[in-house]
Amino acid sequence: MLDEKYFVIGVMSGTSLDGVDVVYVEFKKKDFSKYEIVFSETISYSVDWVERLRGGISLTRDALLVLDIEYAELLSNLINDFIYRNNIKNVDFIASHGHTIFHQPDKGITLQIGDGQTIANKTSKKVVCDFRTQDVAFGGQGAPLVPIGDKILFSKFKYCINLGGFANISFDNAIGKRIAFDLCPLNIVLNHYARKLGRDFDDGGRIAMKGKLNEDLFEKLNSIDYYHQKPPKSLGLEWVQKNIFSLLNEFNDDTPTILRTFVEHAAFQIYKSIGNEVSVLYTGGGVFNTFLTSRIDFFSNQRVVLMEKKLIEYKEALIFALLGVLRVENKINCLASVTGANSDHSSGKIYTNKSS
């Protein structure tokens, strides 16, 4: 029975810094679409780690090397504890996304920290990680990577939308090729402004709901060049700092107004891609922002239908576990139609324990 399945731990950390998502998944080897999330958990970062990760973009090369190892040690401890508390006996490998510090694919740069060799040594498990670097080297965006999982696991939906640090979408075009791209920044912006009021996030969009819509700001946000570019395209923190925060700062509005206007902007950008389509899978923490989903409802004239909470919260960790399975089998896990790379390929580095 054991040799009929893969037993994988998937690990994901998003740009919104909500914490580390960890899942233990069983995949049937003959049909990866047959899976079960057996255990799942989001492990919050300490205040110190939130600040260290947020500040990673400004570190020197040597300081980044230190952070890479120390973050891998943190992940290793979290994974070991997760295995122990859930009494997990069988683990074929760990698939770790790491945490993105830089993502500038147009300059050939992407960096996800969380050294794979350190994790392999400290957990005594095989590790698959660093899924984005090869795609960038092949001329791609290195993102989004989740669409191959959408295609394999959730093909019954016309669109798959993740509402995380960034909102992104994937779908098959008219000739069956998977297309995917970042729609707009989302929680990376909303959480930034919620923190100005002493909150980790705007729970349910309650703060945004009290704000006023700034029509001029709304129009300027929607006129940003990125939204008029054709995919493949992707976003990163650096882009947000340059194009979003700088614009929002120009208006000097109160925080509820900024949140209200940005929610309207995000909902409108999502609507522009899905229109009135009803077959949409929504996942990610932004799904729980009921004010945001109500504005998507408003534009699309359709009600956002929610899936089970486990899938909403852990879909990305689940899919990175699947990316690891595909890499171990040397099967395609990066689609050129999505990232713009020069070919489909199997991406990710594999590490084994060298400490013993």
Side-chain angles (χ1 to χ4, degrees), residues 151-174:
K151 190 174 183 72
I152 293 171
L153 303 181
F154 307 112
S155 59
K156 69 178 182 179
F157 294 95
K158 182 171 177 62
Y159 296 110
C160 292
I161 292 180
N162 189 69
L163 303 177
F166 298 90
N168 49 57
I169 188 170
S170 84
F171 56 94
D172 280 353
N173 66 10

Side-chain angles (χ1 to χ4, degrees), residues 31-153:
D31 183 357
F32 299 151
S33 69
K34 302 292 192 302
Y35 71 89
E36 180 186 1
I37 300 175
V38 182
F39 301 113
S40 56
E41 184 175 358
T42 298
I43 304 162
S44 298
Y45 288 117
S46 67
V47 173
D48 176 61
W49 267 108
V50 169
E51 293 306 314
R52 292 186 71 184
L53 294 173
R54 191 177 291 144
I57 193 171
S58 61
L59 293 179
T60 64
R61 180 181 178 84
D62 287 347
L64 273 174
L65 292 172
V66 172
L67 186 64
D68 186 30
I69 299 298
E70 292 185 347
Y71 183 66
E73 292 172 343
L74 172 71
L75 291 182
S76 301
N77 291 336
L78 297 181
I79 293 165
N80 283 334
D81 187 53
F82 178 79
I83 291 171
Y84 174 76
R85 285 185 290 102
N86 291 295
N87 195 29
I88 296 171
K89 301 300 183 184
N90 300 300
V91 178
D92 289 310
F93 58 85
I94 296 162
S96 176
H97 169 270
H99 185 81
T100 299
I101 299 295
F102 301 110
H103 185 65
Q104 301 176 48
D106 294 340
K107 297 179 181 178
I109 299 171
T110 189
L111 173 65
Q112 289 71 44
I113 60 169
D115 178 62
Q117 189 62 65
T118 299
I119 299 173
N121 292 348
K122 290 191 169 294
T123 61
S124 300
K125 302 284 188 291
K126 182 189 293 184
V127 172
V128 188
C129 65
D130 195 7
F131 291 97
R132 300 187 189 274
T133 303
Q134 178 173 287
D135 190 77
V136 172
F138 285 2
Q141 291 283 307
L145 298 185
V146 166
I148 184 70
D150 290 340
K151 190 174 183 72
I152 293 171
L153 303 181

Side-chain angles (χ1 to χ4, degrees), residues 12-22 41-47 49-51 53-54 71 78 99 162-166 186-192 194-195 199-202 283-289 312-314 316:
M12 175 72 196
S13 172
T15 49
S16 54
L17 291 169
D18 297 334
V20 181
D21 291 339
V22 186
E41 184 175 358
T42 298
I43 304 162
S44 298
Y45 288 117
S46 67
V47 173
W49 267 108
V50 169
E51 293 306 314
L53 294 173
R54 191 177 291 144
Y71 183 66
L78 297 181
H99 185 81
N162 189 69
L163 303 177
F166 298 90
L186 188 60
N187 293 335
I188 195 172
V189 174
L190 301 182
N191 293 358
H192 173 82
R195 285 193 295 270
R199 317 281 180 85
D200 290 332
F201 59 95
D202 184 8
T283 56
V287 169
F288 302 114
N289 185 326
I312 291 172
E313 293 182 325
Y314 298 107
E316 289 208 325

